[in-house]
Amino acid sequence: MSALIESEPPMSPRENLRQLAAARGESLANLSALIGRNAAYLHQLVTRGSPKRLADDDRLYLAKYLNVDERKLGARDPWEPVF
């Protein structure tokens, strides 16, 4: 019988955003201003879960700014047909 390897669950888009901002030395307030939102917008997203997800344009802009794949910030995988 093979041993089960425990792996950590993937981080949520909110946790990814928090860590990416911290690694870059950016505050969530500054990133909120960057996308034209009030200073508390991303802090509320990360801590309260409101809004439930980033708007598509906000997510794309942040992903480009942070130089990460949009899926790290909650974008869905593109649909592919199954053959």
Side-chain angles (χ1 to χ4, degrees), residues 5-82:
I5 299 173
E6 288 188 37
S7 63
E8 293 183 29
M11 285 192 294
S12 73
R14 290 178 180 88
E15 183 61 21
N16 283 336
L17 178 59
R18 188 189 66 73
Q19 286 192 6
L20 288 164
R24 193 170 169 130
E26 291 279 357
S27 71
L28 294 174
N30 286 343
L31 292 177
S32 293
L34 187 71
I35 59 173
R37 303 289 185 153
N38 71 57
Y41 181 75
L42 291 176
H43 183 266
Q44 290 174 348
L45 173 97
V46 169
T47 59
R48 296 184 191 168
S50 176
K52 290 187 183 244
R53 72 178 102 204
L54 287 168
D56 293 343
D57 290 341
D58 293 344
R59 186 184 60 242
L60 175 61
Y61 195 87
L62 287 170
K64 285 181 176 180
Y65 182 77
L66 296 169
N67 197 32
V68 297
D69 188 312
E70 271 189 274
R71 290 175 284 192
K72 290 266 187 198
L73 301 178
R76 295 180 182 173
D77 287 328
W79 178 83
E80 293 181 11
V82 177

